[in-house]
Amino acid sequence: MTSPVAGCISNKGGNLVQLTSFTLVQDCRTEKIDNNLKQEITKLTGDLNHETAQYCNLAVALGGSQDTLDLRDELKHIRQRAFEIARQNKQKLIPALRKKNVCEEDAKQLERLYNMFSSCLELLEVELFQTLRLQKMFPLQSGVHFLINVGTSEPFLGCKSQINISEVSLQKESEEINLLERDIADVHDLLFTINQKIAVQPWAAATYNETSQQDEDCKSESSTSGSTASSIDITMVEPNNKRKRWLCVVIMTFVAVLLSAAIIGVCLGLLK
C-alpha cells in the first residue's frame, strides 16, 4: 500500500494548491502467474524433454544391424507426440512470457522453462535431420540393402533382403521420407516462431539447480563419514603397496641371477 502525504503551497494569486506525495511506491511487476498454469507448463516441458531423450536413444540404431521397420515406426510416433506437446506448450508458455507485469520470481521461472523448451526443440530438429539422412542412405524396402554391423550377431554381416518387393512398399517408403521432411519443416517453423516472439537470452538466464539441497546433504554425510572412509582406504592401500614392492624386489633379483649366469657362461666359453 502507498502512503500519501498532503501539503499546501500558495501561488502568486494567494490561492492554496494542495500537493500529494507518495513516500512508498509499489513495484509495477506484481502480477503472479497462476500455479496451475505453471505446473502445466512445467509438465509439458518435462514431457517434451522425455520424448526428445527417448527419440535420441532410439535414433542411434538407425542404419545399424538393429534397424527395422518397427523401429522407424516408433520413431515416427515419438516425433509426432513431441511436436504435439511442443505445440501445446507454445500456446501456454509464450503468452505467459509476453506479459509485462509478471513478478520477478515467476519471470525467472518462465525464462528457465523457455530455455529448456527451446533447447529440446533444437536438439529434436538436429536428430530429425540425422534421421532423414540415415533413412535415405539405408532404405529398408528397396530390395537388398546393407546395414552397418554394430557388433550384434546377425547372419550375412548386416545384409538383409526383402523377398516381396512391390510398388506399394516402395511408395510407402517414399511417403515416409516426405512425411519426415514435413515434420522437420514444422519443427523448424515452430522454433523460428518462438524465437521471434520471445527475446530471452539463454546466457543471461539465472541458473537453477533443483538438487542443490541434495548435494549439501551428501556433502554433510560425506564429511561425517570421512574419517572412517579414510582409515579404510589407508588399510587397503598399504598392503597393495607392500605387495608391489616385494614383487619388484623378486623380479630384480631374478633378472640379476640370469645376467650373472649369462656372464659366467660367456667367460667360461672364452677360457676354453
Side-chain angles (χ1 to χ4, degrees), residues 178-195:
N178 295 332
L179 179 61
L180 179 56
E181 291 176 348
R182 288 195 297 268
D183 292 340
I184 293 175
D186 292 339
V187 173
H188 179 76
D189 293 340
L190 180 60
L191 188 59
F192 178 79
T193 302
I194 64 174
N195 288 333

PDB file of all heavy atoms in Angstrom, residues 178-195:
ATOM      1  N   ASN A 178       8.834 -38.262 -47.204  1.00  0.00           N
ATOM      2  CA  ASN A 178       8.149 -36.971 -47.362  1.00  0.00           C
ATOM      3  C   ASN A 178       7.512 -36.510 -46.048  1.00  0.00           C
ATOM      4  O   ASN A 178       7.536 -35.316 -45.721  1.00  0.00           O
ATOM      5  CB  ASN A 178       7.088 -37.076 -48.453  1.00  0.00           C
ATOM      6  CG  ASN A 178       7.683 -37.334 -49.828  1.00  0.00           C
ATOM      7  OD1 ASN A 178       8.827 -36.949 -50.100  1.00  0.00           O
ATOM      8  ND2 ASN A 178       6.939 -37.995 -50.696  1.00  0.00           N
ATOM      9  N   LEU A 179       6.945 -37.454 -45.298  1.00  0.00           N
ATOM     10  CA  LEU A 179       6.353 -37.105 -44.007  1.00  0.00           C
ATOM     11  C   LEU A 179       7.414 -36.605 -43.031  1.00  0.00           C
ATOM     12  O   LEU A 179       7.189 -35.641 -42.279  1.00  0.00           O
ATOM     13  CB  LEU A 179       5.627 -38.323 -43.431  1.00  0.00           C
ATOM     14  CG  LEU A 179       4.966 -38.141 -42.059  1.00  0.00           C
ATOM     15  CD1 LEU A 179       3.901 -37.050 -42.107  1.00  0.00           C
ATOM     16  CD2 LEU A 179       4.365 -39.451 -41.575  1.00  0.00           C
ATOM     17  N   LEU A 180       8.569 -37.247 -43.034  1.00  0.00           N
ATOM     18  CA  LEU A 180       9.656 -36.818 -42.170  1.00  0.00           C
ATOM     19  C   LEU A 180      10.128 -35.413 -42.543  1.00  0.00           C
ATOM     20  O   LEU A 180      10.413 -34.587 -41.659  1.00  0.00           O
ATOM     21  CB  LEU A 180      10.818 -37.814 -42.254  1.00  0.00           C
ATOM     22  CG  LEU A 180      12.067 -37.502 -41.428  1.00  0.00           C
ATOM     23  CD1 LEU A 180      11.729 -37.327 -39.957  1.00  0.00           C
ATOM     24  CD2 LEU A 180      13.110 -38.602 -41.611  1.00  0.00           C
ATOM     25  N   GLU A 181      10.204 -35.123 -43.826  1.00  0.00           N
ATOM     26  CA  GLU A 181      10.596 -33.784 -44.265  1.00  0.00           C
ATOM     27  C   GLU A 181       9.581 -32.735 -43.825  1.00  0.00           C
ATOM     28  O   GLU A 181       9.955 -31.627 -43.415  1.00  0.00           O
ATOM     29  CB  GLU A 181      10.775 -33.765 -45.781  1.00  0.00           C
ATOM     30  CG  GLU A 181      11.974 -34.565 -46.267  1.00  0.00           C
ATOM     31  CD  GLU A 181      12.065 -34.609 -47.783  1.00  0.00           C
ATOM     32  OE1 GLU A 181      11.059 -34.218 -48.433  1.00  0.00           O
ATOM     33  OE2 GLU A 181      13.115 -35.020 -48.312  1.00  0.00           O
ATOM     34  N   ARG A 182       8.288 -33.073 -43.874  1.00  0.00           N
ATOM     35  CA  ARG A 182       7.255 -32.136 -43.405  1.00  0.00           C
ATOM     36  C   ARG A 182       7.358 -31.929 -41.892  1.00  0.00           C
ATOM     37  O   ARG A 182       7.180 -30.804 -41.404  1.00  0.00           O
ATOM     38  CB  ARG A 182       5.865 -32.638 -43.789  1.00  0.00           C
ATOM     39  CG  ARG A 182       5.562 -32.532 -45.270  1.00  0.00           C
ATOM     40  CD  ARG A 182       4.072 -32.689 -45.520  1.00  0.00           C
ATOM     41  NE  ARG A 182       3.596 -33.999 -45.117  1.00  0.00           N
ATOM     42  CZ  ARG A 182       3.533 -35.052 -45.926  1.00  0.00           C
ATOM     43  NH1 ARG A 182       3.949 -34.952 -47.186  1.00  0.00           N
ATOM     44  NH2 ARG A 182       3.065 -36.211 -45.484  1.00  0.00           N
ATOM     45  N   ASP A 183       7.653 -33.001 -41.151  1.00  0.00           N
ATOM     46  CA  ASP A 183       7.812 -32.863 -39.697  1.00  0.00           C
ATOM     47  C   ASP A 183       9.008 -31.975 -39.357  1.00  0.00           C
ATOM     48  O   ASP A 183       8.949 -31.175 -38.416  1.00  0.00           O
ATOM     49  CB  ASP A 183       7.976 -34.246 -39.060  1.00  0.00           C
ATOM     50  CG  ASP A 183       6.710 -35.081 -39.136  1.00  0.00           C
ATOM     51  OD1 ASP A 183       5.628 -34.479 -39.330  1.00  0.00           O
ATOM     52  OD2 ASP A 183       6.803 -36.318 -39.009  1.00  0.00           O
ATOM     53  N   ILE A 184      10.080 -32.119 -40.117  1.00  0.00           N
ATOM     54  CA  ILE A 184      11.248 -31.254 -39.889  1.00  0.00           C
ATOM     55  C   ILE A 184      10.895 -29.798 -40.153  1.00  0.00           C
ATOM     56  O   ILE A 184      11.277 -28.889 -39.385  1.00  0.00           O
ATOM     57  CB  ILE A 184      12.419 -31.712 -40.777  1.00  0.00           C
ATOM     58  CG1 ILE A 184      12.916 -33.098 -40.344  1.00  0.00           C
ATOM     59  CG2 ILE A 184      13.566 -30.704 -40.728  1.00  0.00           C
ATOM     60  CD1 ILE A 184      13.981 -33.675 -41.250  1.00  0.00           C
ATOM     61  N   ALA A 185      10.141 -29.558 -41.230  1.00  0.00           N
ATOM     62  CA  ALA A 185       9.735 -28.183 -41.533  1.00  0.00           C
ATOM     63  C   ALA A 185       8.821 -27.614 -40.451  1.00  0.00           C
ATOM     64  O   ALA A 185       8.939 -26.441 -40.079  1.00  0.00           O
ATOM     65  CB  ALA A 185       9.030 -28.142 -42.889  1.00  0.00           C
ATOM     66  N   ASP A 186       7.930 -28.443 -39.906  1.00  0.00           N
ATOM     67  CA  ASP A 186       7.036 -27.975 -38.840  1.00  0.00           C
ATOM     68  C   ASP A 186       7.817 -27.618 -37.575  1.00  0.00           C
ATOM     69  O   ASP A 186       7.547 -26.586 -36.942  1.00  0.00           O
ATOM     70  CB  ASP A 186       5.994 -29.054 -38.531  1.00  0.00           C
ATOM     71  CG  ASP A 186       5.015 -29.263 -39.670  1.00  0.00           C
ATOM     72  OD1 ASP A 186       4.873 -28.347 -40.502  1.00  0.00           O
ATOM     73  OD2 ASP A 186       4.402 -30.355 -39.738  1.00  0.00           O
ATOM     74  N   VAL A 187       8.774 -28.468 -37.207  1.00  0.00           N
ATOM     75  CA  VAL A 187       9.585 -28.184 -36.021  1.00  0.00           C
ATOM     76  C   VAL A 187      10.419 -26.921 -36.226  1.00  0.00           C
ATOM     77  O   VAL A 187      10.550 -26.076 -35.314  1.00  0.00           O
ATOM     78  CB  VAL A 187      10.490 -29.385 -35.677  1.00  0.00           C
ATOM     79  CG1 VAL A 187      11.461 -29.045 -34.565  1.00  0.00           C
ATOM     80  CG2 VAL A 187       9.646 -30.579 -35.276  1.00  0.00           C
ATOM     81  N   HIS A 188      10.964 -26.770 -37.427  1.00  0.00           N
ATOM     82  CA  HIS A 188      11.766 -25.572 -37.711  1.00  0.00           C
ATOM     83  C   HIS A 188      10.910 -24.311 -37.653  1.00  0.00           C
ATOM     84  O   HIS A 188      11.341 -23.282 -37.093  1.00  0.00           O
ATOM     85  CB  HIS A 188      12.414 -25.713 -39.090  1.00  0.00           C
ATOM     86  CG  HIS A 188      13.240 -24.522 -39.485  1.00  0.00           C
ATOM     87  ND1 HIS A 188      14.495 -24.282 -38.958  1.00  0.00           N
ATOM     88  CD2 HIS A 188      12.985 -23.486 -40.341  1.00  0.00           C
ATOM     89  CE1 HIS A 188      14.982 -23.174 -39.469  1.00  0.00           C
ATOM     90  NE2 HIS A 188      14.093 -22.657 -40.301  1.00  0.00           N
ATOM     91  N   ASP A 189       9.708 -24.361 -38.223  1.00  0.00           N
ATOM     92  CA  ASP A 189       8.818 -23.202 -38.176  1.00  0.00           C
ATOM     93  C   ASP A 189       8.409 -22.865 -36.743  1.00  0.00           C
ATOM     94  O   ASP A 189       8.334 -21.686 -36.373  1.00  0.00           O
ATOM     95  CB  ASP A 189       7.567 -23.465 -39.029  1.00  0.00           C
ATOM     96  CG  ASP A 189       7.893 -23.551 -40.512  1.00  0.00           C
ATOM     97  OD1 ASP A 189       8.969 -23.050 -40.910  1.00  0.00           O
ATOM     98  OD2 ASP A 189       7.090 -24.150 -41.259  1.00  0.00           O
ATOM     99  N   LEU A 190       8.132 -23.901 -35.934  1.00  0.00           N
ATOM    100  CA  LEU A 190       7.761 -23.665 -34.540  1.00  0.00           C
ATOM    101  C   LEU A 190       8.912 -23.027 -33.773  1.00  0.00           C
ATOM    102  O   LEU A 190       8.707 -22.070 -33.001  1.00  0.00           O
ATOM    103  CB  LEU A 190       7.348 -24.980 -33.891  1.00  0.00           C
ATOM    104  CG  LEU A 190       6.933 -24.923 -32.419  1.00  0.00           C
ATOM    105  CD1 LEU A 190       5.736 -24.011 -32.224  1.00  0.00           C
ATOM    106  CD2 LEU A 190       6.620 -26.318 -31.895  1.00  0.00           C
ATOM    107  N   LEU A 191      10.120 -23.523 -33.988  1.00  0.00           N
ATOM    108  CA  LEU A 191      11.285 -22.974 -33.307  1.00  0.00           C
ATOM    109  C   LEU A 191      11.552 -21.536 -33.753  1.00  0.00           C
ATOM    110  O   LEU A 191      11.885 -20.662 -32.934  1.00  0.00           O
ATOM    111  CB  LEU A 191      12.502 -23.850 -33.580  1.00  0.00           C
ATOM    112  CG  LEU A 191      13.782 -23.552 -32.801  1.00  0.00           C
ATOM    113  CD1 LEU A 191      13.540 -23.665 -31.305  1.00  0.00           C
ATOM    114  CD2 LEU A 191      14.887 -24.509 -33.225  1.00  0.00           C
ATOM    115  N   PHE A 192      11.391 -21.270 -35.026  1.00  0.00           N
ATOM    116  CA  PHE A 192      11.588 -19.905 -35.537  1.00  0.00           C
ATOM    117  C   PHE A 192      10.538 -18.955 -34.969  1.00  0.00           C
ATOM    118  O   PHE A 192      10.845 -17.809 -34.607  1.00  0.00           O
ATOM    119  CB  PHE A 192      11.518 -19.924 -37.067  1.00  0.00           C
ATOM    120  CG  PHE A 192      11.663 -18.564 -37.692  1.00  0.00           C
ATOM    121  CD1 PHE A 192      12.914 -17.974 -37.823  1.00  0.00           C
ATOM    122  CD2 PHE A 192      10.546 -17.870 -38.150  1.00  0.00           C
ATOM    123  CE1 PHE A 192      13.049 -16.715 -38.399  1.00  0.00           C
ATOM    124  CE2 PHE A 192      10.677 -16.614 -38.724  1.00  0.00           C
ATOM    125  CZ  PHE A 192      11.934 -16.039 -38.851  1.00  0.00           C
ATOM    126  N   THR A 193       9.303 -19.425 -34.844  1.00  0.00           N
ATOM    127  CA  THR A 193       8.227 -18.573 -34.342  1.00  0.00           C
ATOM    128  C   THR A 193       8.455 -18.174 -32.895  1.00  0.00           C
ATOM    129  O   THR A 193       8.319 -16.998 -32.526  1.00  0.00           O
ATOM    130  CB  THR A 193       6.877 -19.299 -34.476  1.00  0.00           C
ATOM    131  OG1 THR A 193       6.658 -19.631 -35.856  1.00  0.00           O
ATOM    132  CG2 THR A 193       5.735 -18.414 -33.990  1.00  0.00           C
ATOM    133  N   ILE A 194       8.810 -19.134 -32.052  1.00  0.00           N
ATOM    134  CA  ILE A 194       9.001 -18.794 -30.640  1.00  0.00           C
ATOM    135  C   ILE A 194      10.235 -17.924 -30.443  1.00  0.00           C
ATOM    136  O   ILE A 194      10.256 -17.053 -29.552  1.00  0.00           O
ATOM    137  CB  ILE A 194       9.086 -20.068 -29.774  1.00  0.00           C
ATOM    138  CG1 ILE A 194      10.311 -20.904 -30.123  1.00  0.00           C
ATOM    139  CG2 ILE A 194       7.821 -20.890 -29.898  1.00  0.00           C
ATOM    140  CD1 ILE A 194      10.511 -22.094 -29.212  1.00  0.00           C
ATOM    141  N   ASN A 195      11.252 -18.089 -31.277  1.00  0.00           N
ATOM    142  CA  ASN A 195      12.436 -17.240 -31.151  1.00  0.00           C
ATOM    143  C   ASN A 195      12.159 -15.815 -31.607  1.00  0.00           C
ATOM    144  O   ASN A 195      12.796 -14.870 -31.114  1.00  0.00           O
ATOM    145  CB  ASN A 195      13.597 -17.825 -31.956  1.00  0.00           C
ATOM    146  CG  ASN A 195      14.177 -19.066 -31.313  1.00  0.00           C
ATOM    147  OD1 ASN A 195      14.105 -19.234 -30.106  1.00  0.00           O
ATOM    148  ND2 ASN A 195      14.742 -19.951 -32.114  1.00  0.00           N
TER     149      ASN A 195
END
